[in-house]
Structures are given as C-alpha cells and as structure tokens.
Amino acid sequence: MWIVKNRKIFYAVSIILAVASFVSVAIWGLNLGIDFKGGSILEVTYIDNKPEVNVVSESIAPLGLESTVREAGTDGYQIRMRSISEEERVSVEQTLTEATGAYTVKRFNSIGPVLGSEAARKSVTSLFIVLLAIVLFITYAFRRVSEPVSSFKYGLITIVALFHDVFIPTGVFAVLGHYQGLQVDTLFVTALLVVLGFSVHDTIVVFDRVRENLKHDRENKHNQSFEKIVGDSVGQTFARSLNTSLTTLFALVVLYILGGEATRSFSLALLIGITAGTYSSIFIASPLLVTVQKWQEKKKSK
C-alpha cells in the first residue's frame, strides 16, 4: 500500500511535529495549574442571575491573584488562584459581590506546593506505568509472531508511537500556555491517559491484522514479502480506523464548542491527542515494522 511505500514522508512529518513539541516544552515549559504547583480554589453559586464568565474574570483580575475562572454547573463558577491569605479571600469575595451580585460560597480549598508536586510526580508515574503495561501486554499478545519481527519489537514500536501521541498535545499546550495562559492540570493528564488507551487500541487492530495475514501467508505458502503483508494489513483496516476516529472527533468538537469552560481544555487535549494517535497508528506504527525488518536484513547481510 502507498502508506508503507511512502513511509519516510510520514516519518518526516512526525519528527518535525515531535521536535517542535519538544522545543516548545523546553523553551516555555508547561503552565502548571494549582493541581501541580499549589494554590486556592473558590467555588461560588449564584442565587439569582449568573453573570458571564468574562465579568467574573475581569472583576478579580486587578487583585493580581493569577486567577482563572471555570464554569461549575449551571449556576456557578470555580475560581482558581495562587495561594491566598484569609485577608485576600475576604477581598475576593467582597469584589465579587460588588461586581456580580449575590452568591453563596460552595467551597474554598487550598492546595499546598507539597501536595501539588506530589500530584505531578504521581501523574508522571502513572503515565510510565501505563506505557510499561502496554509493552508487556503487546509482547505477550504477539508472542507467537516471532518472524520476521519479534513480539518485543511490536511493543517497542507501539511505545514510540505513543510517545509521539503524548508529545504533540503537550507541545501544543506549552504554546497555548505561553501565549494564552492555558493551564495544565490533572484533567490534562487524564486526557493523555485516554489518548494512550485509544491509540494503542487502534495500533493493536492493525498489528493484529498483520499477525493474521502473516499466519495466512505461511499456511498457504504464498511467500509474500513482509512489506506487502503490512501494506495490505494497513489497507484492510484503514477505513475502520479512520471512521472510528472521526466519529470520536465529531463528538469532541461538539463538546469543545458547546461544553462548559471546565471541560474545554480536556476536550482540546483529547482532540489533538486522538488526531495524533490516529495518524501514528496508521502512518507510523505499522510502517515502522517494515523499517525494523529491513534494518534486520541489512544487519544479517553484513
């Protein structure tokens, strides 16, 4: 299939995107939310008329609290700020009352920097545990596929594709965090875990078809080249992978446009990640099997 034959072009596109993402994170870093660096959360519920989100944001902006405002339910807002004192809390509540009218305080919590750093550490740990579990699972699931590429290499190739799927949304969020103040919180980590699950599912579907076609080729002694078998497998699953991803992306676009502020960054991370995951499953993971197989042949010939 044309995807396998033109794999170097798709590799180049992915390398450019991955490098750009890495550079963005290296230069600007991630704009961490209070989940990771500590801070305060004030959640309010309006009794009568709920004001617009920009009214709430603009009213407390002069207080210099590094605040972000998200919708919380149909009649309230969640205000995230740096760690504030009791005097600053009173000032925020008075300012909100004067600018937006009567409301009730639903909750007020403070997260210390120690808890924030612990959350960040656990988030990174959870990502690595998931990746390790995926490698072990794929190695086991493809244990009977040892030629011409070993089952362990199927797992490693999947990890390469998954790193690609994680790096790209992370890079986009680094850019948006620098220019638009978009913060990274535990919802972002949740989105990455969802992306990993979605992407590996898509990749395994293609790999499983490769396994079936390899078995069929050996049983019928067709002696087709590994490149052709992988190309045919990608072609056989192409429409299914694309349709599955598109239906998911349509739902996410609606959620991003019509959903509340609380889910906007979450849906954006999923949109970017699932798009990258679909690309890697079709254009990166399976062609890499052919690349690895050709490297092995060259090594043997030497």
Side-chain angles (χ1 to χ4, degrees), residues 77-94:
Y77 289 107
Q78 189 181 90
I79 304 168
R80 297 178 172 231
M81 306 162 280
R82 59 170 172 78
S83 295
I84 61 174
S85 63
E86 184 61 27
E87 291 77 12
E88 288 175 315
R89 175 187 174 181
V90 172
S91 178
V92 171
E93 293 180 3
Q94 288 178 345

Side-chain angles (χ1 to χ4, degrees), residues 191 194-195 197-199 201-202 240-256 266-275 278:
V194 172
V195 167
F198 193 95
S199 180
H201 171 267
D202 221 12
R240 178 236 179 246
S241 297
L242 199 61
N243 291 337
T244 301
S245 297
L246 284 175
T247 53
T248 305
L249 291 174
F250 289 150
L252 288 173
V253 168
V254 173
L255 178 63
Y256 179 78
F266 176 71
S267 55
L268 177 62
L270 285 176
L271 273 169
I272 300 168
I274 289 176
T275 301
T278 303

Side-chain angles (χ1 to χ4, degrees), residues 181-201:
L182 187 63
Q183 292 187 336
V184 169
D185 54 17
T186 50
L187 271 180
F188 177 74
V189 177
T190 303
L192 291 185
L193 291 172
V194 172
V195 167
L196 290 178
F198 193 95
S199 180
V200 76
H201 171 267

Side-chain angles (χ1 to χ4, degrees), residues 138-300:
I138 292 177
T139 300
Y140 176 78
F142 290 84
R143 65 192 182 279
R144 295 181 181 176
V145 183
S146 57
E147 292 293 338
V149 177
S150 65
S151 61
F152 181 66
K153 290 175 182 177
Y154 277 77
L156 290 181
I157 288 170
T158 303
I159 295 303
V160 170
L162 292 179
F163 270 116
H164 165 277
D165 304 339
V166 169
F167 264 127
I168 291 177
T170 302
V172 172
F173 268 66
V175 174
L176 294 176
H178 178 72
Y179 287 104
Q180 297 186 9
L182 187 63
Q183 292 187 336
V184 169
D185 54 17
T186 50
L187 271 180
F188 177 74
V189 177
T190 303
L192 291 185
L193 291 172
V194 172
V195 167
L196 290 178
F198 193 95
S199 180
V200 76
H201 171 267
D202 221 12
T203 301
I204 286 178
V205 167
V206 184
F207 281 3
D208 196 55
R209 185 56 61 89
V210 172
R211 177 174 60 179
E212 289 177 3
N213 288 339
L214 278 171
K215 181 180 177 182
H216 183 267
D217 183 76
R218 289 168 186 167
E219 289 175 348
N220 293 277
K221 298 180 180 180
H222 291 157
N223 297 321
Q224 293 180 316
S225 68
F226 185 63
E227 181 175 349
K228 186 177 188 311
I229 291 173
V230 173
D232 290 345
S233 301
V234 173
Q236 291 163 8
T237 56
F238 182 82
R240 178 236 179 246
S241 297
L242 199 61
N243 291 337
T244 301
S245 297
L246 284 175
T247 53
T248 305
L249 291 174
F250 289 150
L252 288 173
V253 168
V254 173
L255 178 63
Y256 179 78
I257 295 173
L258 302 180
E261 189 67 27
T263 59
R264 188 150 293 160
S265 61
F266 176 71
S267 55
L268 177 62
L270 285 176
L271 273 169
I272 300 168
I274 289 176
T275 301
T278 303
Y279 179 86
S280 69
S281 297
I282 298 173
F283 299 98
I284 303 299
S286 298
L288 272 175
L289 289 173
V290 177
T291 300
V292 169
Q293 182 259 340
K294 289 189 178 295
W295 282 349
Q296 291 177 171
E297 286 184 350
K298 286 182 181 179
K299 202 171 180 180
K300 286 180 181 179

